[in-house]
Amino acid sequence: MHFLETMKAMLVWTGAGAILLFVLMYVDSLFTKYKDFAEVKAGNMAVTVRMIMKLIAQGYILSGSIATANNLLEALVYSVIAFIILLVLEVIVRLLLRYWAQFDLDKGTQEGKIGFGLFSGALHLVGALIITACF
């Protein structure tokens, strides 16, 4: 019986996690100056790289949340809070880079400059590693 309960829990937790990741990626796309999915469809590799790295970062945060939470709701709440923290940090870093280094991540990424997409995605990954260490 334990095996079946574990399999059922895996399906429920994975499904809930997938839904949350979809919602978080959609919300994230609202904060960019361009339409993420339209850019990906058009073949913009910089946006694609950023989006993939962001998905990996969010997946890593969700994984850490699930590993430390006592129940599904707690894991999802941890992930949402971590997403908000990551979003706020991203906005701050974007503004600082634009102001001090005249380095506009959104503009460069939208223009298809791979380095900009990689830099932006790396910020997500590093943020996810730091945030997840707090769990």
Side-chain angles (χ1 to χ4, degrees):
M1 190 65 167
H2 178 66
F3 176 78
L4 291 176
E5 288 179 23
T6 301
M7 291 300 110
K8 181 178 139 190
M10 283 175 58
L11 288 171
V12 170
W13 285 59
T14 301
I19 291 167
L20 180 63
L21 284 176
F22 177 80
V23 169
L24 294 179
M25 293 301 290
Y26 174 75
V27 170
D28 178 70
S29 74
L30 298 175
F31 287 90
T32 57
K33 294 180 180 179
Y34 49 85
K35 302 217 182 292
D36 286 337
F37 294 106
E39 291 290 333
V40 170
K41 284 181 188 176
N44 186 328
M45 287 305 294
V47 172
T48 303
V49 166
R50 178 200 176 271
M51 217 171 162
I52 289 168
M53 292 175 82
K54 176 71 176 183
L55 181 61
I56 293 167
Q58 290 302 327
Y60 186 75
I61 289 170
L62 183 60
S63 173
S65 298
I66 290 171
T68 59
N70 293 319
N71 59 59
L72 178 59
L73 181 59
E74 184 179 333
L76 298 177
V77 169
Y78 285 168
S79 292
V80 169
I81 292 169
F83 171 78
I84 292 167
I85 293 169
L86 192 56
L87 189 64
V88 169
L89 288 174
E90 180 188 9
V91 168
I92 291 168
V93 169
R94 276 191 209 171
L95 291 173
L96 290 174
L97 287 172
R98 192 176 308 140
Y99 177 73
W100 283 336
Q102 286 72 48
F103 190 70
D104 190 336
L105 284 176
D106 280 336
K107 183 178 181 221
T109 303
Q110 185 178 13
E111 291 173 353
K113 296 177 181 174
I114 301 289
F116 283 73
L118 283 168
F119 192 89
S120 182
L123 291 174
H124 292 292
L125 290 175
V126 170
L129 292 170
I130 293 168
I131 290 168
T132 304
C134 299
F135 291 151

